[in-house]
Amino acid sequence: MGVIRTGRRLADGREILYFDDDRHPVARTAVDPRDLPPVSTHSQLRYDALLGEWVVIASHRQSRTFLPPADQCPLCPSRPDRATEIPESDYQVVVFENRFPSLATGVATDVPAAAPGAPSAELRPGYGRCEVVCFTSEHDRVFADLGSDRARLVVDVWAERTAELSRLDGVQQVYCFENHGEEIGVTLSHPHGQIYAYPFVTPRVAKVLAAACRHREQTGGDLFADVMAAERSGPRVVTANEHWTAFVPAAARWPFEVQLFPTRKVPDLPALTDDERDAFVEVYLDVLARFARRMDTPMPYIASWNQAPVHEGRDEWWLHLQLFSLRRAPGKLKYLAGSESGMGAFITDTNPEDVAEALRSVVVE
Ligand SMILES: [Zn+2]
């Protein structure tokens, strides 16, 4: 399968990109008929000197759309009587710039050097980019039911966006993710994910990279490779094929957590071969089906791609996907309370080996 990409502009100047399977090509010529004011983004980064981490302050996002009724979904294709974010009457996979972005390349740059009265809280414009990725034009479908061809097209789109956004000056990390299910605060139910291009390396990736570098200095070994080798033959594998292994991590922090690692060490999605992308789809759809069928209603989840930073640690990094759910039992969510929210110390009441067994035992037809 090849991918045809068509780039156009929305009424307010934002970019929209259509990605089509070249076996089913469609001309993408629809014009956005809406009268939209230009987007203005005033977000800023503030440095937390105590933690050594950046915080994005995006107070302009308060007015964004929150769970509209299905007949007003902004991610469904446009109809003659109703224009949405996607001018075409149908689409396969589409990507566009978020109308309410936390980070934007056109962000207002006139920010002071530091927060008022806090010289150590360095301030920078919220430069970067936030994109929305719609996986299908069908409002009621979920990723788990996309089918292999469409899921593969999404993987290619994630890889293409990662490569392109990595080339933007000042971008340090590209993050593809999906928040799935109202229980975790999804504001639009149409099947979609997001891509953030950050102007800094995120705290999680910085921390993991530091651990890998420390391990290299102390033992000469590869931390990711050691973890992978152990997990591939360990008790927590959920499912695997030649190119990918899905396992519950030994120190899982969420009630249901699975990590998907490619067998070959690669820094990011663009580095995956065609065979590895196909094999990922097979394993990922299998794991998502287990998440969907484990309880009487599908589990909400967050799917989080951990890619190498754009400019550092690329030889050390090993691409992986973290998939986790906050639901610990039917109707019960894990809340990040005092220990987790206050101290960042996770306490979980599920045993990782039991979770792996429970997911393995789900019947996936
Ligand atoms: Zn929709």
Side-chain angles (χ1 to χ4, degrees), residues 70 73-76 137-139 190-191:
C73 173
L75 307 184
C76 277
S137 60
E138 292 175 62
H139 186 85
H190 194 107

Side-chain angles (χ1 to χ4, degrees), residues 251-315:
R253 37 176 72 190
W254 303 98
F256 285 87
E257 176 174 354
V258 174
Q259 296 188 353
L260 284 75
F261 272 74
T263 308
R264 186 172 67 93
K265 181 175 184 167
V266 294
D268 54 16
L269 288 156
L272 293 173
T273 64
D274 281 338
D275 284 350
E276 287 165 339
R277 294 179 193 199
D278 286 341
F280 166 76
V281 166
E282 181 184 83
V283 167
Y284 187 45
L285 292 182
D286 182 330
V287 175
L288 284 181
R290 291 170 196 279
F291 267 50
R293 292 173 177 80
R294 175 69 187 91
M295 296 177 195
D296 51 354
T297 54
M299 274 196 260
Y301 64 77
I302 294 171
S304 167
W305 277 109
N306 284 235
Q307 306 202 80
V310 175
H311 299 294
E312 59 180 279
R314 297 184 60 80
D315 293 341

Side-chain angles (χ1 to χ4, degrees), residues 182-349:
E182 285 181 30
E183 288 158 289
I184 54 162
V186 174
T187 52
L188 295 169
S189 63
H190 194 107
H192 73 287
Q194 299 180 69
I195 302 176
Y196 280 15
Y198 294 106
F200 53 84
V201 177
T202 59
R204 175 181 170 87
V205 166
K207 198 169 177 180
V208 172
L209 191 55
C213 292
R214 204 161 50 237
H215 184 84
R216 175 84 61 195
E217 282 162 23
Q218 288 168 356
T219 69
D222 184 319
L223 178 60
F224 283 111
D226 292 353
V227 168
M228 260 291 283
E231 292 291 359
R232 264 184 87 81
S233 55
R236 287 174 300 275
V237 173
V238 174
T239 182
N241 59 21
E242 179 190 355
H243 294 295
W244 288 83
T245 306
F247 59 87
V248 178
R253 37 176 72 190
W254 303 98
F256 285 87
E257 176 174 354
V258 174
Q259 296 188 353
L260 284 75
F261 272 74
T263 308
R264 186 172 67 93
K265 181 175 184 167
V266 294
D268 54 16
L269 288 156
L272 293 173
T273 64
D274 281 338
D275 284 350
E276 287 165 339
R277 294 179 193 199
D278 286 341
F280 166 76
V281 166
E282 181 184 83
V283 167
Y284 187 45
L285 292 182
D286 182 330
V287 175
L288 284 181
R290 291 170 196 279
F291 267 50
R293 292 173 177 80
R294 175 69 187 91
M295 296 177 195
D296 51 354
T297 54
M299 274 196 260
Y301 64 77
I302 294 171
S304 167
W305 277 109
N306 284 235
Q307 306 202 80
V310 175
H311 299 294
E312 59 180 279
R314 297 184 60 80
D315 293 341
E316 201 61 69
W317 195 261
W318 198 310
L319 170 73
H320 56 283
L321 178 74
Q322 267 185 298
L323 176 73
F324 54 93
S325 181
L326 288 64
R327 190 193 285 168
R328 53 196 174 87
K332 290 182 181 167
L333 293 185
K334 174 176 178 62
Y335 287 101
L336 298 189
S339 187
E340 294 85 2
S341 294
M343 286 294 116
F346 274 68
I347 298 173
T348 174
D349 50 13

